[in-house]
Structures are given as C-alpha cells and as structure tokens.
Amino acid sequence: MLGTNEATIIEILAHRTIAQRQSIKEAFKRSVGKDLPDELRSELTGNFEKVVLGLLMPAPVYDAYELRNAIKGAGTDEACLIEILASRTNDEIRALRTCYKTEYDRDLEEDICGDTSGMFCRVLVSLLTAGRDESTTVNEVQAVQDAKELYEAGEARWGTDEVKFLTVLCVRNRNHLLQVFEEYRKISGRDIEDSIKREMSGCLEDVLLAIGEYDPHFVNHSPALLSCAVQGLGTTDSILIRVMVSRAEIDMVDIKAEFLKMYGKTLYSFIKGDTSGDYRKILLELCGGEK
C-alpha cells in the first residue's frame, strides 16, 4: 500500500457491521490478491492498529485472540478471562472455543487449567462448558432454596463452601439469579455482592462478582469496566480496546447511557480526555457521538 489514509480507514471500519467488514476483507482479497489485515498490519502501529485489526475479526475469532494473549507468555491476564467468559452466551462460548482450537491448535480448557488454579480455575472451566440455563424461567421454590444454601455456605458458617457459589452462579439463568439475590437479601440482610466480598478474595471474588453483575447483554458491568480503563494512572488500553471493539454494534447506546448515569460524565468525554491521535478518533467513532 502506497501510503495510508487513516481517515478513510476510520470512516469505513467504524461504521460497518462485523458481517460487512468480512465482506470488505473478501472483496479486497479478490481485487488485489492480498489479505487486508496483513496489509494494514504493515502500515499501522500501536493502539490504532490493534483497534483496526480487532474490528476486522469475526467476534469469536476476536474473543479467541484476546484469550490467547491473556494466557500465553509470562503471567496471566485474569481480568480478560473473567470479562469474556462471564459475559458470553453459551453459543458464543462454544464458538470461541472452536476458533481457539482452529486458530492456535490448542485446547482452551487445557490452557486455562495450565495457567490458573484452585476454585478460580474450576469456575472458569464451568463457564467454558457453556451449560448455563438460558431460559427466562424462575422457579420460586428453588430460588428460596438456592438463597438459603448460599447463606449457609458463606455468612452462616465458619469458612466458605465455595463450590455452592459455583453451582448456583454458573448454572442458573439470569432471571432466576435475580430472584435468588432478592431472597438472599431477605435471609441475610446483605446484598450477595457484599457477602462475596466478605467471603472471597482475589480472582475468585472477581469472577463471582462478574457473574453476578453481568446481564445477558453485558451492560451492567461495562460502564464500571470502562471506568477502570480510563481512570487512574493512564488508560488501560487493552480493556478499553476490547470493550469498544466487541460491543460497538451490540449495546453501545445502552452502555453509554449507563456510564453517564453511574459517573455523571459521558463515555465520549472520558475517551477524548485519555486518548489521542487516530486511536482516539476511531474510538470516538465507535462510541457514536457525545450523547
């Protein structure tokens, strides 16, 4: 490519669906006989490159790519594992597992078990089975029983029966869990979030809180996640990029509204203040405006 028109790249990729971007990739290859991602990779750099290449990946390929980067090398990005596995649907998890195997010739469960341990590992493996009930049915009797068992597994005993938290939080559907949490509040006088914080710690606490907070559309947790990405000592670009790329065409309007309600500032203004250059421009386009 003789020179790069970043403005055109931003204008096209930030305003197309994932399916349309795949069609663009195919048309580019037919026209010039080269892969568009490879060509852009040779021309772009830094976080702008990461956003552009992420946008060109189908959703499960992007999830697999992020998970592989979270696992490989020294150390593990536990936050990435939690964010993706706690927020995806059963079908999405099955798809990303297949892509992970295809792209890297590795088994995702084996890699996660090799990089994590204890109950945190067991929760991640449970999520990887893609076996959560995805109906909207609420069993009132079971909800009361679940709440009672969670209370007896935590607040009501010395030590914590972590397996019971795994069994309920990783298996029940969202509507049922909301009822469980309400019943738990009646029994214990506490929110389930407070009890998890009192009884757990570290990555196990983080993943159980994430499971409790994520709704099927990921809105509840995204504003808090994005706030972590753009506050403090500089921007945590990996989180910011991952959320903006993966949610731009799904629920960005809802995320922006929730972000404004939670923090009294627009997501647009947060991004504008903490990023720069073409990286800022494409994120702002993905954000979709000030309001």
Side-chain angles (χ1 to χ4, degrees):
M1 297 174 71
L2 298 176
T4 307
N5 188 329
E6 287 83 358
T8 300
I9 293 172
I10 294 169
E11 176 61 29
I12 293 174
L13 295 186
H15 298 97
R16 300 296 188 276
T17 65
I18 294 174
Q20 288 170 335
R21 292 183 206 122
Q22 303 317 302
S23 297
I24 290 170
K25 283 166 57 179
E26 293 169 4
F28 185 91
K29 191 166 187 175
R30 283 196 305 269
S31 300
V32 302
K34 292 184 178 181
D35 288 321
L36 180 57
D38 290 343
E39 290 296 288
L40 291 174
R41 190 178 289 111
S42 68
E43 297 285 334
L44 308 178
T45 60
N47 289 322
F48 180 56
E49 175 193 354
K50 292 177 182 177
V51 175
V52 168
L53 294 180
L55 289 171
L56 287 171
M57 296 180 192
V61 174
Y62 184 66
D63 280 345
Y65 170 79
E66 287 291 295
L67 289 171
R68 182 64 192 142
N69 284 337
I71 294 169
K72 71 178 183 180
T76 305
D77 183 354
E78 291 89 354
C80 176
L81 301 180
I82 292 168
E83 175 199 330
I84 292 176
L85 296 181
S87 68
R88 302 306 191 250
T89 66
N90 290 342
D91 284 345
E92 288 169 341
I93 288 176
R94 282 189 284 266
L96 73 85
R97 287 191 67 163
T98 299
C99 285
Y100 191 92
K101 180 66 174 178
T102 301
E103 294 289 322
Y104 307 109
D105 193 26
R106 302 179 66 91
D107 182 79
L108 180 55
E109 181 178 330
E110 290 180 2
D111 280 355
I112 286 178
C113 289
D115 254 43
T116 62
S117 61
M119 188 56 62
F120 176 56
C121 176
R122 292 172 65 176
V123 171
L124 295 180
V125 169
S126 177
L127 295 173
L128 273 176
T129 64
R132 180 191 290 279
D133 173 18
E134 292 186 326
S135 73
T136 58
T137 303
V138 178
N139 184 323
E140 299 284 350
V141 174
Q142 184 65 58
V144 173
Q145 182 64 27
D146 285 342
K148 180 181 178 183
E149 290 182 1
L150 286 176
Y151 177 67
E152 292 174 348
E155 294 282 356
R157 59 175 284 167
W158 181 262
T160 306
D161 180 1
E162 297 161 337
V163 175
K164 178 53 63 178
F165 281 82
L166 181 158
T167 301
V168 173
L169 294 179
C170 292
V171 176
R172 306 289 191 252
N173 71 61
R174 177 62 183 175
N175 287 354
H176 183 88
L177 283 180
L178 291 176
Q179 186 62 39
V180 171
F181 298 161
E182 182 60 34
E183 296 297 334
Y184 185 89
R185 192 177 298 112
K186 294 176 183 176
I187 295 170
S188 69
R190 297 181 185 277
D191 289 335
I192 190 70
E193 179 182 4
D194 294 334
S195 291
I196 290 173
K197 289 179 178 179
R198 283 164 56 90
E199 298 293 322
M200 315 290 180
S201 63
C203 293
L204 178 60
E205 174 188 335
D206 292 339
V207 71
L208 292 179
L209 286 174
I211 294 168
E213 290 174 359
Y214 281 120
D215 72 5
H217 299 293
F218 187 40
V219 174
N220 285 352
H221 203 68
S222 282
L225 189 66
L226 286 168
S227 180
C228 292
V230 296
Q231 290 190 94
L233 300 175
T235 302
T236 305
D237 294 295
S238 61
I239 298 175
L240 182 59
I241 292 169
R242 187 162 57 246
V243 173
M244 297 303 292
V245 168
S246 64
R247 308 310 296 186
E249 72 182 74
I250 298 176
D251 50 14
M252 188 55 63
V253 172
D254 294 332
I255 289 172
K256 287 164 60 179
E258 189 70 16
F259 192 96
L260 178 61
K261 183 169 68 175
M262 291 176 69
Y263 301 106
K265 296 182 180 181
T266 64
L267 177 58
Y268 189 96
S269 67
F270 266 62
I271 293 172
K272 189 173 182 179
D274 270 62
T275 59
S276 62
D278 292 319
Y279 175 47
R280 172 200 281 166
K281 291 176 184 177
I282 196 166
L283 289 184
L284 292 179
E285 289 301 315
L286 291 172
C287 185
E290 180 72 43
K291 297 182 179 179

